[in-house]
Amino acid sequence: MTNRQAAMKIVKRLRSNRYEALLAGGCVRDMLLKRRAHDFDVATDAKPADVTRLFKRTLKVGAKFGVVIVLLGNTQVEVATFRVEAGYADGRHPSAVKFATAKEDAARRDFTVNAMFYDPLEKKVIDYFGGQQDLRRKIIRTVGDPAERFAEDYLRMLRAVRFSTQLGFVIEPRTRDAICKGARNIVRISGERIAMELEGMLSNPNRAAGASLLVETGLAEAVFPGFAGSRAEFGSKVLSRLRRNVDFPLALAAFFAGCETAFALERCRILKLSRNQGRHLRFLLSERGKLLAEQMSLAQLKLILGKPYFWDLFGLQRAIQRAQVKSLAALIRLRRRIDELGDVELRPKPLLNGHELMRLGAAAGPQVGQLAEEMYIAQLEGVIGTKGQAERWVRHWLRKHKIRK
Ligand code: ATP
Ligand code: MG
């Protein structure tokens, strides 16, 4: 059963029990845009206790905030009671919730395009704040006064930039203005949450536009003190020259390509990257320039070629050269030398490809990327050597990294 089918079943069950039940938020936006939605959320006037009574398997993790997770088949759906959030004491977590009407629930949501409901039985969009019009005009606009909405939750400033990047929308002028004015407050949000938003925008192919927005609004400088002006602008240029799909560390390295390695690593500490991501980023930043060396010995070449992130380094260097409108000759020569080596030992094919990883249960998107990377490292390190071993390793990894949102 897909997540969408599960959500539909839940809506029908709630409705046949005389509750209101609608699809809500991001999935409505994505359906209207004909984009693939990754999760379907249900909003209802049933209270958490009603929801847990109606469905056999539920998780009550967020029941206090009106959210119950319903497990159906092998998927899970968030079922949230219409609510308003009262008292944002810390600009992040609502300190209390109050159950409310659908309209009030829409009003607490961040952007008009995220504040719509869809009635899948009547096939009707319920749109209190002009979300459909903003979708057509490709605009990110807060529901209500932007300054107030950002003061309630500073994370929304980054979310605005992320949605603008992912959807290719512009941020409406008043909303954008409020971000510029409030940007310095972003550091009150935890580094992990900041990192998640940055990852969402910088791993998107439209990442250069996102990076420019971060710099122009002052969010970049608020998160990374001293990261502004021409070196930050250079970062956006390098980002625009990367290949389409890149991991977060490569995108970060490109963003900081105009900065010294020590400065960049120090600034990125706030993001609390994983050990592997940290290693990946450090490698890319500190090895920059080495691939341009006139005379690299065969041993040097083999050594660097054997590094798990070698092709990212190569891609980064190419993007830097192109951003500076400098010659690619050294990289082309290097590429030719590598092809002549024809070495399968140094960079064997990954034991499992992306499709195989997803078939084993990895979620499309960043998770597959991270898993593929870690599995490849295990392979290069000799921890796994056959497809069977790789599958066992992946299953273990997936158990350790259960998808949590
Ligand atoms: P994505 O496709 O990235 O998951 P989404 O719109 O589903 O986008 P979520 O973070 O999954 O975003 O949140 C689901 C919905 O909850 C949003 O569409 C929005 O209506 C509401 N929401 C989420 N975070 C906030 C927030 N910080 N402030 C206000 N509303 C929010
Ligand atoms: Mg979502």
Side-chain angles (χ1 to χ4, degrees):
M1 183 168 6
T2 64
N3 184 250
R4 179 196 189 118
Q5 289 164 332
M8 285 296 294
K9 266 199 155 155
I10 292 167
V11 167
K12 282 186 189 145
R13 166 83 64 86
L14 283 162
R15 295 272 277 265
S16 65
N17 282 272
R18 304 225 180 117
Y19 293 109
E20 178 62 293
L22 302 163
L23 299 178
C27 64
V28 180
R29 175 199 68 217
D30 291 338
M31 269 174 1
L32 292 172
L33 288 173
K34 302 198 163 48
R35 287 165 57 97
R36 216 172 57 86
H38 40 93
D39 31 40
F40 286 78
D41 298 329
V42 173
T44 178
D45 61 359
K47 302 282 160 23
D50 306 324
V51 177
T52 50
R53 191 168 39 75
L54 274 177
F55 298 93
K56 256 211 295 295
R57 291 190 299 142
T58 57
L59 301 174
K60 278 167 259 186
V61 279
K64 224 174 59 182
F65 296 109
V67 182
V68 172
I69 309 243
V70 175
L71 305 164
L72 266 191
N74 53 3
T75 184
Q76 51 184 54
V77 176
E78 228 181 82
V79 179
T81 308
F82 296 134
R83 65 194 191 271
V84 288
E85 287 159 5
Y88 287 88
D90 54 357
R92 180 65 201 111
H93 291 288
S95 41
V97 299
K98 222 176 72 205
F99 297 129
T101 62
K103 180 165 184 190
E104 290 168 321
D105 185 276
R108 72 163 173 93
R109 292 173 185 268
D110 47 7
F111 306 110
T112 57
V113 295
N114 286 350
M116 291 178 280
F117 299 109
Y118 183 69
D119 179 339
L121 306 183
E122 305 278 327
K123 299 198 178 355
K124 247 177 47 195
V125 179
I126 297 151
D127 176 13
Y128 297 106
F129 297 101
Q132 292 173 100
Q133 185 176 46
D134 286 345
L135 274 187
R136 278 195 298 275
R137 296 186 180 169
K138 298 181 182 286
I139 286 173
I140 300 295
R141 176 204 312 270
T142 52
V143 173
D145 180 73
E148 275 171 32
R149 302 310 311 283
F150 292 138
E152 283 169 4
D153 179 357
Y154 302 122
L155 185 68
R156 290 173 187 156
M157 298 189 288
L158 274 179
R159 286 173 61 87
V161 177
R162 171 166 67 85
F163 287 119
S164 152
T165 308
Q166 291 175 331
L167 304 174
F169 283 22
V170 297
I171 302 179
E172 174 271 331
R174 282 183 57 231
T175 301
R176 182 181 165 124
D177 205 44
I179 297 176
C180 295
K181 292 209 172 89
R184 69 198 143 70
N185 292 314
I186 197 62
V187 286
R188 302 216 216 157
I189 298 296
S190 81
E192 289 91 337
R193 292 308 310 261
I194 292 176
M196 280 177 65
E197 295 299 325
L198 290 184
E199 178 162 9
M201 61 187 99
L202 294 184
S203 43
N204 189 279
N206 193 27
R207 60 184 71 93
S212 296
L213 257 180
L214 282 178
V215 174
E216 290 160 16
T217 53
L219 282 168
E221 196 179 9
V223 176
F224 308 118
F227 183 64
S230 60
R231 55 182 173 179
E233 283 156 23
F234 180 65
S236 305
K237 252 191 228 156
V238 177
L239 280 166
S240 74
R241 298 300 198 164
L242 286 180
R243 62 173 188 261
R244 192 178 157 81
N245 291 314
V246 303
D247 289 330
F248 190 35
L250 173 53
L252 274 177
F255 199 23
F256 280 96
C259 305
E260 288 185 3
T261 301
F263 172 89
L265 291 176
E266 176 60 33
R267 290 303 176 274
C268 287
R269 274 175 46 184
I270 187 178
L271 303 177
K272 308 214 170 66
L273 298 177
S274 73
R275 268 169 78 92
N276 274 327
Q277 287 181 318
R279 238 184 265 153
H280 191 165
L281 177 66
R282 174 165 322 114
F283 170 78
L284 294 175
L285 287 169
S286 59
E287 303 297 300
R288 270 178 303 170
K290 299 216 172 139
L291 301 185
L292 301 176
E294 223 18 84
Q295 274 310 330
M296 202 188 292
S297 72
L298 184 61
Q300 272 174 326
L301 175 60
K302 281 192 168 176
L303 267 179
I304 199 156
L305 196 49
K307 302 275 188 198
Y309 310 119
F310 172 79
W311 287 109
D312 273 3
L313 179 62
F314 191 93
L316 174 64
Q317 195 66 58
R318 188 176 46 202
I320 292 173
Q321 300 303 104
R322 290 174 67 196
Q324 293 175 323
V325 204
K326 286 205 177 144
S327 165
L328 295 177
L331 292 175
I332 293 169
R333 264 199 310 279
L334 183 66
R335 180 75 206 233
R336 210 170 292 139
R337 266 182 94 187
I338 293 168
D339 289 345
E340 280 161 12
L341 271 180
D343 197 336
V344 282
E345 280 297 287
L346 278 179
R347 41 193 184 96
K349 246 181 89 193
L351 287 164
L352 300 172
N353 64 31
H355 294 293
E356 291 168 317
L357 293 177
M358 287 198 271
R359 221 172 294 138
L360 288 169
Q367 191 185 42
V368 180
Q370 196 194 338
L371 172 56
E373 184 177 277
E374 292 186 23
M375 187 204 73
Y376 195 56
I377 295 167
Q379 180 181 346
L380 289 176
E381 284 174 349
V383 178
I384 49 177
T386 65
K387 266 180 131 52
Q389 287 168 350
E391 285 173 11
R392 271 196 296 284
W393 188 96
V394 164
R395 287 211 180 87
H396 180 71
W397 190 97
L398 286 169
R399 273 198 299 279
K400 270 196 343 214
H401 296 72
K402 270 250 160 56
I403 314 162
R404 271 284 318 138
K405 278 206 62 168

